[in-house]
């Protein structure tokens, strides 16, 4: 790459970042449904035709913001496993640490959290590009359960007979090395985790739960036990 090409590449990266930063400001002020490429272009000092060379449509810009948000919360979840704290053998404590990291990111970035876990944006359909980033938190939690299963640190809950075909399908789809009972339990608690976080981010706990951090920590631990994770002896 020549020096001129390198300068152009750096300029493109900087302009792309500026566009996304302004789009996030608009999300915070107006919500995703009102995101406007023309308004973003005006605020960053570009004509709209120039901005289209970076993001051809509103949906392309939304997708970039959604991928960034999923990657950010996924990174927070992954890094929580590397932070000082519970050892690798304490599966329930590791589970709780990941849940706490997700909550902390959501509270620090409520508008980005709303973009990925709030109301659907009218007229927008997420492309395949979002699936990998959207799976990162779930994969971290599955990894903890997988470690626990390999170490006899999990007691799979029973599966109701009528749910067994769906349990087997789930396991084959995203955790073929784990019992179907664990697949069902993980999907249930994954949705409950984001229900807990959403209630706090969107104000549903106001005048209901006042001391929210210990409440969340206890609830996250219960979710881990619902999966079947066993406390460290």
């Amino acid at each position: 790459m020549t020096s001129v090409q390198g300068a152009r590449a750096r300029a493109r990266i900087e302009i792309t970042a500026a566009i996304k930063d302004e789009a996030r400001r608009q999300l915070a002020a107006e919500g995703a449904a009102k995101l406007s490429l023309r308004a973003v272009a005006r605020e960053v000092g570009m004509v709209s035709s120039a901005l289209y060379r970076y993001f051809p449509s509103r949906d392309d810009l939304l997708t970039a913001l959604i991928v960034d948000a999923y990657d950010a919360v996924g990174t927070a979840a992954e890094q929580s496993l590397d932070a000082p704290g519970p050892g690798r053998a304490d599966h329930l404590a590791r589970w709780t640490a990941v849940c706490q990291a997700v909550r902390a990111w959501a509270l620090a970035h409520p508008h980005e959290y709303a973009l990925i876990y709030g109301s659907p944006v009218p007229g927008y359909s997420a492309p395949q590009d979002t699936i990998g980033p959207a799976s990162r938190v779930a994969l971290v939690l599955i990894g903890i359960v997988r470690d626990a299963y390999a170490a006899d640190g999990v007691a799979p809950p029973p599966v109701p007979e009528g749910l067994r075909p769906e349990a087997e399908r789930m396991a084959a789809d995203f955790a073929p090395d784990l019992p179907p009972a664990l697949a069902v339990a993980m999907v249930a608690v994954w949705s409950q985790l984001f229900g807990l976080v959403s209630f706090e981010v969107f104000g549903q706990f106001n005048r209901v739960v006042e001391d929210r951090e210990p409440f969340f920590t206890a609830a996250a631990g219960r979710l881990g036990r619902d999966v079947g994770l066993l406390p460290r002896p």
Side-chain angles (χ1 to χ4, degrees), residues 132-166:
S135 303
R136 289 177 63 176
V137 171
L139 290 175
V140 173
L141 295 174
I142 291 171
I144 293 172
V145 174
R146 183 175 285 118
D147 289 345
Y149 182 69
D152 293 326
V154 63
V159 178
E161 192 58 37
L163 188 56
R164 181 157 296 281
E166 178 63 7

Side-chain angles (χ1 to χ4, degrees), residues 23 25-36 111:
R25 282 190 285 270
Q26 289 196 17
L27 288 178
E30 303 288 344
K34 294 185 178 180
L35 182 64
S36 162
H111 301 294

Side-chain angles (χ1 to χ4, degrees), residues 62-75:
L62 272 176
T63 296
L65 298 177
I66 287 168
V67 168
D68 283 354
Y70 277 131
D71 278 335
V73 68
T75 296

Side-chain angles (χ1 to χ4, degrees), residues 46-59:
M46 301 174 68
V47 296
S48 55
S49 59
L51 189 145
Y52 291 142
R53 293 200 292 269
Y54 293 84
F55 297 100
S57 70
R58 180 207 69 158
D59 285 6

Side-chain angles (χ1 to χ4, degrees), residues 8-222:
R8 287 175 178 170
R10 288 192 297 273
R12 185 173 183 86
I13 291 171
E14 291 172 1
I15 293 171
T16 298
I19 291 169
K20 291 197 287 188
D21 285 345
E22 176 55 33
R24 291 188 186 98
R25 282 190 285 270
Q26 289 196 17
L27 288 178
E30 303 288 344
K34 294 185 178 180
L35 182 64
S36 162
L37 288 186
R38 289 182 180 275
V40 171
R42 182 174 61 249
E43 293 300 321
V44 297
M46 301 174 68
V47 296
S48 55
S49 59
L51 189 145
Y52 291 142
R53 293 200 292 269
Y54 293 84
F55 297 100
S57 70
R58 180 207 69 158
D59 285 6
D60 290 306
L61 179 53
L62 272 176
T63 296
L65 298 177
I66 287 168
V67 168
D68 283 354
Y70 277 131
D71 278 335
V73 68
T75 296
E78 292 160 2
Q79 290 179 343
S80 72
L81 295 181
D82 299 324
R88 189 172 181 84
D90 195 341
H91 310 294
L92 187 56
R94 293 171 69 216
W95 172 283
T96 302
V98 170
C99 294
Q100 289 170 323
V102 170
R103 171 182 178 265
W105 181 88
L107 293 176
H109 305 87
H111 301 294
E112 292 170 66
Y113 180 86
L115 179 62
I116 53 177
Y117 291 111
S119 299
V121 180
Y124 175 78
S125 179
Q128 292 288 111
D129 297 358
T130 62
I131 294 176
S135 303
R136 289 177 63 176
V137 171
L139 290 175
V140 173
L141 295 174
I142 291 171
I144 293 172
V145 174
R146 183 175 285 118
D147 289 345
Y149 182 69
D152 293 326
V154 63
V159 178
E161 192 58 37
L163 188 56
R164 181 157 296 281
E166 178 63 7
E168 292 173 352
R169 185 203 63 78
M170 287 182 184
D173 190 34
F174 61 81
D177 55 330
L178 296 176
L182 287 177
V184 169
M186 284 188 293
V187 171
V189 300
W190 172 68
S191 63
Q192 291 169 51
L193 166 62
F194 285 100
L196 281 166
V197 174
S198 294
F199 261 50
E200 185 169 0
V201 171
F202 301 139
Q204 304 299 326
F205 282 149
N206 290 349
R207 303 184 68 180
V208 177
V209 181
E210 296 298 332
D211 199 356
R212 293 172 188 162
E213 186 164 352
F215 173 82
F216 180 87
T217 298
R222 178 161 296 281

